[in-house]
Amino acid sequence: MKTPLLTWLLRLVVMCVVGFLLLPAVVVFIAGFNDRAILSFPPQSFSLRWFERALTYPDFRHGLRNALIVMVWTSTISIVVGAAFAYALNRYEFRLKHTLEAILMSPLMIPHFTIGLGLLMLGTQMGFARTFGIVVFSHIVIVLPFVIRSVYISMQNLDPRLEKAATSLGAPPWRVLVTIVLPLLAPGLFSGWLFAAILSFNEFTGSLFVTSQATQTLPVAMYNYVREYADPTLAALSTIYIVITATLLTIANLYLGLGKVLNVEQSR
Amino acid sequence: MNSLADLPRTTDIAGQPNAAKPAVRIDGVSKAFGDVTALHEAWLAVGRGEFLTLLGPSGCGKTTILNLIAGFLEADSGEIFLDGAPITNDPAHKRQIGIVFQNYALFPHMTVEKNVGYGLRMRGVDKTEIARRVGEALELVKLPGYGGRRPRELSGGQQQRIALARALVIRPKVLLLDEPFSALDKNLRSAMQVELKEIQRSLGVSTVFVTHDQSEALSMSDRIAVMSAGRIRQIAAPGEIYRAPADRFVASFVGDTNIFQATRVSPTSVIVGGFLIDVMPGPLEGTIDGQEVELFARPEELSLTSAGAPGTLPAEVVTKVYQGGYSDFYVTTPLAAERVLVRIHGPAALELWPEGAKIGLVLPKTGANAFPPGE
């Protein structure tokens, strides 16, 4: 049987879209192996020296360390705060619930540079402009809506009757939380944490305003680098970036695939 | 029921001397959600070892009562007693109550053993004692050796047994069942009903069962509380609910019924189509002789005979449905606004009259109920 024309067209469109999505990454990936000290495409000769430079350049090492510090604090604090808000939004009815929901989601509508600028001015006024605190704070503001969404969705799959059953069996609220709610939300919490971590690790626009020389994160260090040099180090670094993130996501997806099975079981 | 002689004899709070303390007592409890009153001042007592059913359509308040007893809801007014002690302000986890939910609510991340032992772990019972009692409970629900399985590996019926074992292992003061059979298919449902009833009786555990299924209520209960629109309409044994319903709602919600136009001639008799019929005393209080009322008759109280026979109403067969051991005839008669259902027993009943046949409808002389005309 011949495949209809329409199906072929559809496949073509899908392949084009996938191609466009991957194109920048592919160009950068290849450019990173160029031996010459210019960012150009396609490369004329092959070398791994820019990878070496990317991994040894002091600003990048420093930036990576800062980015990881900020990432861990941001994702951990925002998962705790986000989970608490998501739980409240999901389980309780209260006045101004919709207002709170709107406020929590509002960072989605505010440009990151506005958040960065606002916090910079506030930080300068109050004397904490050059600290990690302000960087972490700005990242939390930016990632919180995503975290709340992520936890909220997995919470909707959590049957309130499980908590009631545990309560009737004699579990006080904190033991219900520890023995029932947290284990069952673990996949959702973990994916929310990971989401927050990736967003924070990649965040640039807001960070540009609130970081100082001492607290600059890797994306900011990269931006500063590209203003001075035009060699393929950044391309090499981008490749490292992509490989690490992709690996993390793959592992997470394996874990979340399992999580989905658990959720189906619960809602049955 | 447990022997009443075993129970402590005291004066209860309502001042009734020598009344045994009921397992659960609900004294004038009301509950509203916003502007909607879910429960209007309910009064109810569940005896020791009794199987009491809260029966009614969805939204009638039966689940509200269950949640109030369990402590998942707070009463707006009134008091709730468990074994004679007030628990109205006790948090849910201190009430010592077992619950089986419609979807069983087994903890998906725990084995059967951990599920059943959960309540004992929360009470700090030691490990060997937990293992022993979990084993006993699994024995009781006929699933020994299932301790290592996960809930998702079990069938619906098995999940329900585990949920029951989990609720019973804590030796609850009262067992609450929230529509536990509605997720099971029909054959399994009747088997589980029998089994649950046997377990309940052998343990003598006081039970409150919530259902909208009147046949389930009739077959399982010691007593039934029929509810509608947040009010308890009647509390009585199944036979009494069926034979002597307190009002129109109970009469039409429990069992099939037919309604005929009637005229009251005395507090205990009415006339339908010229025939005098004795009715149950009670419901006609508040009406006067000569007033138009309605006669409620069960399908099996009616019978059919050849047209024009003395003592019959003229009727016509519209549809008939073969049901195996009996046949359902739907007939029309000028004295009933709706089609009348007549249930004739015997496997050969179906052949008696063809559809469209003119026949005579025989009303019961006694035992039917009459009510003032209603909504």
Side-chain angles (χ1 to χ4, degrees), chain A residues 11 13 40 44 68 81 119 122-123 130 164 221 246 251 261:
Chain A
R11 284 180 189 172
V13 170
S40 69
Q44 276 82 45
L68 289 175
V81 175
L119 281 172
L122 198 67
R130 308 180 77 80
K164 286 186 177 179
I251 294 169
V261 176

Side-chain angles (χ1 to χ4, degrees), chain B residues 52-81:
Chain B
L52 182 123
T53 298
L54 302 173
L55 172 68
S58 60
C60 71
K62 57 191 194 296
T63 307
T64 303
I65 291 190
L66 199 80
N67 283 326
L68 286 164
I69 298 174
F72 300 143
L73 289 176
E74 264 177 65
D76 295 339
S77 60
E79 283 274 358
I80 301 171
F81 300 88

